[in-house]
Amino acid sequence: MQVPHNAFVVVADGRKMLFLRNEGDAVHPNLQVERKREQDNPPDREQGTDTPGRSFSSVGPGRSAYEETDFHQLEEDRFAAETADLLKKRAFDNDFEKLIVVAPPRTLGELRKHYHKEVSDRLIGEIDKTLTGHPIVDIEKVLIDAE
């Protein structure tokens, strides 16, 4: 994938986001970190307080358990929505013309739900990979190798 000079690259998952800018050219990217944010999101077992509720079924015998809320996943989805909101603000400020987003499939799907038209219009590529824990040089290589 060609990464134009001055393109904005967002590498995110449900707990960490990196805002990068390509200071290199389209063939030889040189990504520089503009912003980094991480949130503390403990596992669901540490966030939930009770076991799932139960109800009596009026149709048929027995009880039925309600599905337990996954607080960890809810927080990751909220973080993705917050990332999309930051992208919208930067798009309105004309902070970038070209955008590439790298995120795991679930986070990418959540981001897409919240993209504003201004963000979507500037989006030139998406890569569904988890790269938030990788060094910048690895992120550059994945971008170059992507089609």
Side-chain angles (χ1 to χ4, degrees):
M1 172 184 297
Q2 297 268 322
V3 183
H5 174 72
N6 210 30
F8 200 52
V9 178
V10 175
V11 180
D13 61 20
R15 291 186 286 170
K16 184 176 183 180
M17 73 173 121
L18 293 169
F19 285 1
L20 309 166
R21 178 87 56 187
N22 183 18
E23 300 294 333
D25 59 32
V27 180
H28 301 96
N30 177 17
L31 300 178
Q32 300 297 314
V33 177
E34 284 192 3
R35 181 176 182 173
K36 176 181 174 181
R37 179 151 180 259
E38 232 175 310
Q39 78 165 358
D40 184 33
N41 185 4
D44 187 59
R45 67 181 177 277
E46 294 177 17
Q47 295 184 46
T49 57
D50 291 331
T51 57
R54 295 189 130 345
S55 70
F56 289 97
S57 175
S58 61
V59 182
R63 297 179 187 218
S64 175
Y66 291 107
E67 187 175 328
E68 189 171 346
T69 302
D70 186 342
F71 293 103
H72 179 78
Q73 189 59 57
L74 285 174
E75 189 59 27
E76 287 195 357
D77 292 349
R78 187 202 60 74
F79 190 73
E82 183 181 311
T83 301
D85 190 52
L86 288 171
L87 287 172
K88 178 181 85 171
K89 289 175 183 169
R90 292 186 84 154
F92 280 139
D93 289 342
N94 285 319
D95 192 31
F96 62 91
E97 291 180 27
K98 307 272 189 234
L99 172 67
I100 298 170
V101 176
V102 181
R106 176 160 179 116
T107 303
L108 199 53
E110 194 63 30
L111 283 166
R112 286 177 183 148
K113 288 184 203 176
H114 300 282
Y115 283 159
H116 186 275
K117 184 177 181 338
E118 286 293 324
V119 174
S120 296
D121 289 349
R122 299 162 196 241
L123 189 63
I124 62 168
E126 292 178 321
I127 299 174
D128 61 345
K129 287 189 181 264
T130 305
L131 294 178
T132 50
H134 292 258
I136 301 293
V137 69
D138 289 354
I139 296 169
E140 291 170 347
K141 181 169 178 13
V142 168
L143 289 172
I144 291 168
D145 293 344
E147 292 183 21

